[in-house]
Amino acid sequence: MEEGYTSLPASHLLGSVPAVIAEDKTTSIASEAASTANLHLFPPSNGGYQAPGTPSGADEQTTSSWQGVFSISSYSSYFNVDTDVVVERIISSVYPMNDFYRKIDGNPDLYGPIWISATLMFMLAALGNFGTYLMKKRNDSSTTWTFDVTYVEWSACAIFGYMLAVPAAFYFLLQYFGFRTSLVRLWCMWGYSLFIFMPICLLLVVPVELFRWIIILLAGIASSWFIAVNLKAYTQSSDLMMLIVGAMVLQFALALFIKMFFFP
């Protein structure tokens, strides 16, 4: 009788704990690490969506990555950034020789670029009207103040259109030439490159035409060089100088557009 009881397997006794807990824990940790490592990718893999009946861990392979585009939760990781990090990246964007691309390599954000673009849009509309008024007032003392509302529309189309379309175009060009890069990184880099035009807008209000041209030319050169230095990091093993020169020309053209349209 005693031998019969002692031969029973311990896993069937009351209070026994299966030994697969460690395996489940290891699997969960591995999946969490894998999802964290892919935060810089765009579009998101699935945005947290899992079809009914789909086994966990296999949904990333069976679900189209573009489903994450329509999920709000997919974009939360791109805005999960501290204020100190945003300020540090803004300061780095002012120095063209800084290795900005290394600072955003692990965690590129969209909070900074969107905030910079929106602020620059309103600054161009408001200060552009004020600067134009000062220039006219200097030449004609009888000039009255008028606010041109179309400045808001033009600044929104120019800034957001440039910040979204130009990085996307270079993303597809880099993909075509065989370079693996991230669209979010390019959006992040181009978005922070616009910050230098925010303090420049304050200086462009000064009603001295020569001073205005010197300021905008210096800003255009600094911003273009910033784009060239960081874009060259993606093409170190290949000679795509024409691609880099094209990016510099577009950035410098934006600076000239800001001066000639908003501060004539």
Side-chain angles (χ1 to χ4, degrees):
M1 181 67 66
E2 295 179 357
E3 295 178 356
Y5 284 110
T6 57
S7 62
L8 290 175
S11 59
H12 292 279
L13 295 179
L14 182 62
S16 61
V17 181
V20 295
I21 296 179
E23 181 181 356
D24 294 341
K25 184 178 181 180
T26 304
T27 304
S28 61
I29 294 175
S31 60
E32 182 180 355
S35 60
T36 305
N38 292 328
L39 289 180
H40 64 280
L41 298 179
F42 187 88
S45 57
N46 54 7
Y49 171 79
Q50 182 174 351
T54 304
S56 60
D59 55 341
E60 295 185 358
Q61 299 177 358
T62 58
T63 307
S64 174
S65 61
W66 285 98
Q67 288 183 353
V69 176
F70 305 100
S71 177
I72 298 177
S73 61
S74 303
Y75 301 93
S76 60
S77 60
Y78 305 135
F79 295 86
N80 186 20
V81 60
D82 296 333
T83 305
D84 297 337
V85 176
V86 175
V87 173
E88 181 183 359
R89 294 177 177 181
I90 287 176
I91 296 175
S92 300
S93 67
V94 180
Y95 298 95
M97 299 305 297
N98 204 327
D99 55 345
F100 181 82
Y101 74 98
R102 294 186 182 275
K103 295 185 177 181
I104 66 172
D105 186 57
N107 183 28
D109 72 284
L110 294 179
Y111 176 84
I114 292 178
W115 176 81
I116 292 172
S117 300
T119 306
L120 180 60
M121 177 193 73
F122 287 107
M123 290 184 68
L124 286 176
L127 297 178
N129 275 281
F130 186 60
T132 303
Y133 166 75
L134 291 180
M135 287 295 294
K136 292 181 179 180
K137 189 71 173 179
R138 183 184 180 185
N139 299 326
D140 185 6
S141 59
S142 62
T143 302
T144 57
W145 164 260
T146 57
F147 186 84
D148 191 354
V149 184
T150 59
Y151 273 32
V152 179
E153 301 174 359
W154 279 101
S155 62
C157 294
I159 299 302
F160 280 100
Y162 181 86
M163 200 272 288
L164 294 174
V166 173
F170 276 88
Y171 168 77
F172 288 111
L173 285 175
L174 290 174
Q175 292 288 329
Y176 175 78
F177 287 108
F179 294 96
R180 296 180 59 84
T181 183
S182 170
L183 180 57
V184 176
R185 290 176 184 170
L186 295 180
W187 274 337
C188 182
M189 182 182 67
W190 253 278
Y192 278 100
S193 71
L194 301 178
F195 173 79
I196 194 173
F197 296 112
M198 293 174 60
I200 292 301
C201 288
L202 298 174
L203 298 176
L204 289 176
V205 175
V206 178
V208 179
E209 191 66 12
L210 179 61
F211 176 76
R212 285 182 169 185
W213 276 110
I214 294 175
I215 290 298
I216 199 63
L217 290 177
L218 292 177
I221 293 173
S223 182
S224 301
W225 190 255
F226 170 80
I227 290 293
V229 169
N230 291 277
L231 189 62
K232 189 177 181 180
Y234 294 100
T235 60
Q236 289 181 351
S237 59
S238 179
D239 186 15
L240 292 179
M241 186 56 63
M242 292 301 298
L243 193 66
I244 298 176
V245 171
M248 294 180 65
V249 171
L250 289 175
Q251 193 77 3
F252 194 79
L254 176 65
L256 295 180
F257 174 78
I258 291 175
K259 167 63 182 73
M260 299 176 66
F261 188 87
F262 296 100
F263 301 93

